[in-house]
Amino acid sequence: MELPFSESFKIKMVEPIRKSTREERAAWIKAARYNLFNLRSDQVFIDLLTDSGTGAMSDRQWAAMMLGDESYAGASSYYNLKNAIKNIIGFDYFLPTHQGRAAENVLFSALVKEGDVVPGNTHFDTTKGHIEFRKAQAIDCTIDEAFNTTLDHPFKGNLDLNKLENVLQSHPQENIPMIIVTVTCNSSGGQPVSMKNMREVYKLAKSYGIRVLFDSARFAENAYFIKMREEGYGDKSIKEIVKEMYSYADGMTMSSKKDAIVNMGGFIALREEKLFKKASQFNIIYEGFVTYGGMSGRDMNALAQGLDEGTEFDYLDTRIKQVAYLGNKLKEFGIPVQEPFGGHAIFVDAKRFLPHLPKEEFIAQTLAVELYKEAGIRGVEIGTLLADRDPSTRENRYPALELLRLAIPRRVYTNNHMDVIAVALKNVYDRRSEISTGYRIVNEAPLMRHFTVELTPALKETV
Ligand code: F0G
């Protein structure tokens, strides 16, 4: 008999989590103004808000922490990280930052000006925020297939080369500071970009003299999908695939809180010395001296180790199979989920789950609240709240997809937890016709409203 699949690690340290009653949760979520970001973590049983900074570090990462060098300038930890980036990614120049959006802030300060356009595959919200904050425009060039949750396509993160070329043709070169390729594409469901697409985007970009940057939060998961799905890559190691991926980029920003399995950290890595020097000035103003950015030495050491572990096949196989395990359970229950499953999360199609709710009532947020009330599970809305308002008209932007994201932290939960999540969602699905109201906004911030928005039921209170 073939041995069943099991995790590529064993557990050395645990953290207790606490269950609650439905009545407690109903009161807590009401007090939190139906915004799951406002809950205390001890009011949550299984936390799927994000896979960012929530992973479990390995014994080797903790050991590396002890060897951290906290020198202000020229710390050995900086050189450890510089070597890891050179060896794994291949870029010569790098700047540490405290997280991914800080890397965007620093690099875009050097690159983006008012009136610019930045094409890419569904930019992540902080990326878009940093572009729009500078009065530039992020243009989505993702393939149309990405917006059909039932369509089976191996690389739904791909850029549509025609859409991209239209942007490159219709704007002067000096107004296109870069093309951003997000690997994997978080906002369209943790979907990967194929190597072929990366190669073609790079070729097209070069023919217009435009630089390509990778938003690299989940680059290793992208490499895993290339190995598993793209012809010619099955026998290559993840590290070989990663090297080839970055041969089609001029630079990158990275939130290290995902695929490098650290709790905090980020960086910029570049091929061009000139841009590195320009960005260094902004790093010093915003983050810290160029050899530590926003990071302590111990954190840079853990990150260097995490980059190595995060690009090992066995780790990625465990990780991505756990996400697929949850996805398959939900499918068995008939719950509409995005397919194929993404790398870091399962995305529930809220419009198909609650077809009777109007889009003005924040359908995916309604589902997120219901799942929390059901079992203390915290997911996150990737829908109208997140899409925010159009910066010029101030009208709500209604995205093609209303999703509830169930992001799975790395090396944290077991498959028993996945079973609980699946059954909880099935229970909500079974009573979906009783969910008669969504929510309306009571208070919202002018930018990135989803973090702090306050809501109230659109019709009447439902418990
Ligand atoms: N780019 C992508 C693709 C991301 O997913 C994120 C963060 C960032 C950039 C920003 O990085 O958080 O370190 O500042 N995504 C998190 C999430 C927050 O939950 O998906 P950061």
Side-chain angles (χ1 to χ4, degrees), residues 37 49-53 98-104 122-127 182-187 215-218 253-258 264-266 344 380 382 405 407 451:
F37 284 98
L49 186 69
T50 180
D51 63 319
S52 180
H98 79 273
Q99 62 183 89
R101 68 199 72 184
E104 292 162 358
T122 321
H123 311 65
F124 183 65
D125 53 338
T126 60
T127 319
T182 306
V183 289
T184 58
C185 188
N186 186 2
S187 309
D215 177 352
S216 303
R218 300 178 185 84
T253 53
M254 167 97 183
S255 167
S256 309
K257 301 166 70 174
K258 285 87 168 168
M264 191 51 77
H344 67 295
V380 76
I382 308 276
R405 184 183 77 169
F451 288 117

Side-chain angles (χ1 to χ4, degrees), residues 11 24 47 85 88 99 124 153 181 187 203 335 383 454:
I11 296 165
E24 282 176 319
D47 205 346
I85 292 170
I88 294 168
Q99 62 183 89
F124 183 65
H153 184 295
V181 180
S187 309
K203 202 171 151 216
I335 293 165
E454 296 184 347

Side-chain angles (χ1 to χ4, degrees), residues 119-136:
N121 53 343
T122 321
H123 311 65
F124 183 65
D125 53 338
T126 60
T127 319
K128 196 173 184 168
H130 274 297
I131 293 169
E132 290 179 351
F133 181 71
R134 290 172 173 81
K135 299 197 162 53

Side-chain angles (χ1 to χ4, degrees), residues 25-91:
R25 292 191 293 274
W28 290 334
I29 193 67
K30 188 177 177 193
R33 301 284 184 151
Y34 302 97
N35 180 344
L36 291 100
F37 284 98
N38 288 337
L39 291 170
R40 293 167 50 119
S41 66
D42 59 6
Q43 295 169 337
V44 175
F45 180 51
I46 301 176
D47 205 346
L48 310 181
L49 186 69
T50 180
D51 63 319
S52 180
T54 52
M57 291 211 297
S58 69
D59 52 355
R60 286 170 182 78
Q61 284 179 290
W62 282 107
M65 297 270 291
M66 294 305 290
L67 299 175
D69 174 357
E70 305 304 340
S71 304
Y72 190 95
S76 64
S77 305
Y78 165 80
Y79 288 103
N80 285 343
L81 182 51
K82 188 174 164 63
N83 288 340
I85 292 170
K86 175 72 185 162
N87 290 338
I88 294 168
I89 309 277
F91 292 140

